[in-house]
Amino acid sequence: MRVLILGGTAEARDLASALQSHGIHFASSLAGRVSQPRLPVGEVRIGGFGGIAGLEQYLHESGVTHVIDATHPFAATMSRHAAEAASAAHLPLIRLERPGWGTRPDAAHWHWEPDLTAVRTCAEALGTRPFITSGRQTLHAFEAWGDRQVLVRVVEALDAAKPDAWTVIRDRGPYSLHGELTLMRTHGIDVLITKDSGGTYTSAKLDAAQQLGIPVVVLQRPPMSTNARAVTDVEECLTALLA
Ligand code: NAP
């Protein structure tokens, strides 16, 4: 058995540790978007494969027998490529995807939107001091807010210059409730923008918004059409793999 973990998430790192402790031969793959990535244990390769054909070639040349797509819920392109390449190579594919935040009791009060245009329109109607936490790759959708006092939090530095009125902070989870409350109060935030990442690393902002009575606008997960066996945590993933 040689497993390829498509990673870039906390679950993928936990999975790498679990495979190592079970003595299973594996390698993790990262996209290379983050300058100082948190690395999983074991062998790591970094960088794109060059599309579906490149991934299929890698699977063949590396003798991969099982593929685990543990990429982020919003990494839809990589998931689609994994599904197509694994299918072409006749390899089993497991999709490890953490549950979204939709089952939280407060989620019923949030504004769930299918795309970034709808997110922006919705947030405009709810407040004037937004806190954007949906990621660097979503910021193009908020360009029209150049003269607003916007707070943005990103992991990596921005590619383009930011509007003068914006405050951009670089940070990465996990975040504390105390820290999120302080941040939102300090910046007078009146609407929180997020995507449905799920998990606990970045969920303190949702608790803070609830405590402060701040409306939350959520970008829904992209639809995933994949032929993978779906699991939601590392234990279930191991069981599926060993079966
Ligand atoms: P994406 O749009 O689905 O993928 C774009 C391209 O990046 C892929 O076609 C592939 O290039 C390369 N790529 C993505 N994940 C890769 C991996 N694990 N190993 C090797 N190449 C990979 O991906 P994304 O949304 O930009 O996310 C990039 C990475 O960041 C992923 O590993 C994901 O787990 C992590 N991440 C994403 C988010 C998010 O919000 N999107 C949040 C946290 C972490 P080729 O076509 O050349 O193979």
Side-chain angles (χ1 to χ4, degrees), residues 179-225:
E180 298 292 57
L181 284 169
T182 305
L183 187 66
M184 290 192 204
R185 284 193 182 113
T186 304
H187 291 270
I189 297 304
D190 59 9
V191 56
L192 171 66
I193 295 171
T194 181
K195 59 187 177 206
D196 183 21
S197 294
T200 55
Y201 259 54
T202 60
S203 61
K205 62 189 171 189
L206 303 167
D207 301 325
Q210 188 184 21
Q211 278 197 26
L212 298 172
I214 293 172
V216 179
V217 184
V218 187
L219 176 63
Q220 293 167 4
R221 290 185 175 187
M224 293 266 182
S225 56

Side-chain angles (χ1 to χ4, degrees), residues 18-32:
L19 294 191
Q20 190 172 65
S21 66
H22 279 74
I24 296 171
H25 198 36
F26 70 95
S28 297
S29 174
L30 304 179

Side-chain angles (χ1 to χ4, degrees), residues 124-169:
E124 275 170 359
L126 292 168
T128 56
R129 303 283 295 260
F131 180 19
I132 304 177
T133 65
S134 44
R136 190 168 50 122
Q137 295 180 74
T138 68
L139 293 182
H140 61 90
F142 305 101
E143 276 168 0
W145 289 356
D147 56 354
R148 287 191 178 210
Q149 288 194 300
V150 175
L151 176 64
V152 177
R153 184 167 61 199
V154 285
V155 176
E156 282 294 298
L158 301 187
D159 303 325
K162 67 169 183 62
D164 288 342
W166 289 21
T167 302
V168 177
I169 49 177

